[in-house]
Amino acid sequence: AGSLMTTKHSQPQSTFAKSLASTSTNTPYLKAAESTEIPAYVTKCPSNGLCSRLPPDCMICNTNYSCIYGKPATFDCKVKPHVHCVDQNNLEQENFTINMTCQFCWQLATTDYVCTNSTNCMTVSCPRQRYNATCTVRDHIHCLGNRVFPKMLYCNWTGGYKWSTALALSITLGGFGADRFYLGQWREGLGKLFSFGGLGIWTLIDVLLIGVGYVGPADGSLYI
């Protein structure tokens, strides 16, 4: 997609053009049917705010097929029915332009979208596990393509266990299995308790393993 967007398109029905046609940021102008019912998207649209600051759900924009990937681009937009906004001079307007970077939504920085989290995958594992997440672009961000997209992310949830607490218990009370009990590893904790920390050898090994983060909570979550 990056190589395709670096060249201006002369045919509106190109492959790249088709891939952008279904998005909220670059849908062609459509004449909305008259209706007395207020659409649900109106709740997301500030009344009498700047048109250029409206969320993408509040506007309909034409795709700029000549935009160059990674470069600033200008899009011609129109507010949706029942949406009221103003320009810099506080005058109400319907047609306006917005400036954005020519890139797909899935290529945005991680701070520009929110993803679902998973508590079923192991965060402390080798190799580190990933999970299928569904990500949604934040309301004030404009981009090309679908605003909701799938993405493979590393497991990053936490059950509230502190690394510093686990390490302190391993150093002070590791011979009694306190560190393993704290992490929810009851079998290993009982094994250390009745073997006096494996005569000290198991205790030293656990201090090293917890110190480097190799041994973590039994639920597979991350330390905090």
Side-chain angles (χ1 to χ4, degrees):
S3 61
L4 289 174
M5 296 179 68
T6 57
T7 307
K8 292 188 176 181
H9 295 266
S10 58
Q11 298 179 355
Q13 296 300 322
S14 63
T15 303
F16 176 70
K18 291 179 180 179
S19 68
L20 302 178
S22 63
T23 68
S24 61
T25 305
N26 36 40
T27 306
Y29 288 133
L30 297 175
K31 185 175 180 60
E34 294 295 332
S35 175
T36 57
E37 184 179 355
I38 299 178
Y41 60 78
V42 174
T43 59
K44 299 181 179 180
C45 308
S47 179
N48 296 323
L50 288 176
C51 293
S52 58
R53 299 288 183 88
L54 287 174
D57 289 339
C58 305
M59 63 182 75
I60 303 173
C61 298
N62 280 336
T63 301
N64 184 352
Y65 296 112
S66 63
C67 73
I68 301 174
Y69 173 73
K71 300 294 184 180
T74 301
F75 290 79
D76 295 321
C77 301
K78 179 181 180 180
V79 294
K80 289 183 177 180
H82 304 285
V83 177
H84 303 280
C85 61
V86 297
D87 58 11
Q88 297 290 347
N89 297 321
N90 206 32
L91 298 177
E92 187 170 355
Q93 64 176 171
E94 293 185 358
N95 301 307
F96 56 96
T97 60
I98 60 169
N99 297 316
M100 56 174 279
T101 302
C102 187
Q103 62 180 346
F104 288 105
C105 294
W106 60 268
Q107 295 173 315
L108 292 170
T110 55
T111 55
D112 293 335
Y113 53 83
V114 179
C115 299
T116 57
N117 207 344
S118 173
T119 58
N120 297 322
C121 60
M122 299 288 290
T123 58
V124 182
S125 63
C126 187
R128 192 175 176 187
Q129 290 186 6
R130 294 173 180 259
Y131 69 98
N132 291 315
T134 300
C135 302
T136 304
V137 180
R138 298 185 184 275
D139 288 341
H140 65 285
I141 302 297
H142 296 274
C143 55
L144 303 175
N146 294 325
R147 298 185 62 80
V148 179
F149 54 89
K151 199 162 190 175
M152 290 290 292
L153 299 177
Y154 284 113
C155 299
N156 61 352
W157 66 284
T158 178
Y161 296 93
K162 292 185 178 181
W163 172 82
S164 58
T165 301
L167 182 60
L169 289 174
S170 183
I171 295 173
T172 58
L173 299 174
F176 301 99
D179 50 352
R180 293 284 185 163
F181 286 126
Y182 171 72
L183 295 174
Q185 301 175 7
W186 297 98
R187 294 180 180 178
E188 292 82 352
L190 290 173
K192 290 182 72 174
L193 176 62
F194 291 111
S195 66
F196 299 102
L199 298 179
I201 299 176
W202 193 349
T203 301
L204 292 176
I205 293 175
D206 269 1
V207 170
L208 294 175
L209 294 180
I210 293 176
V212 299
Y214 185 81
V215 172
D219 59 6
S221 64
L222 287 174
Y223 288 114
I224 58 175

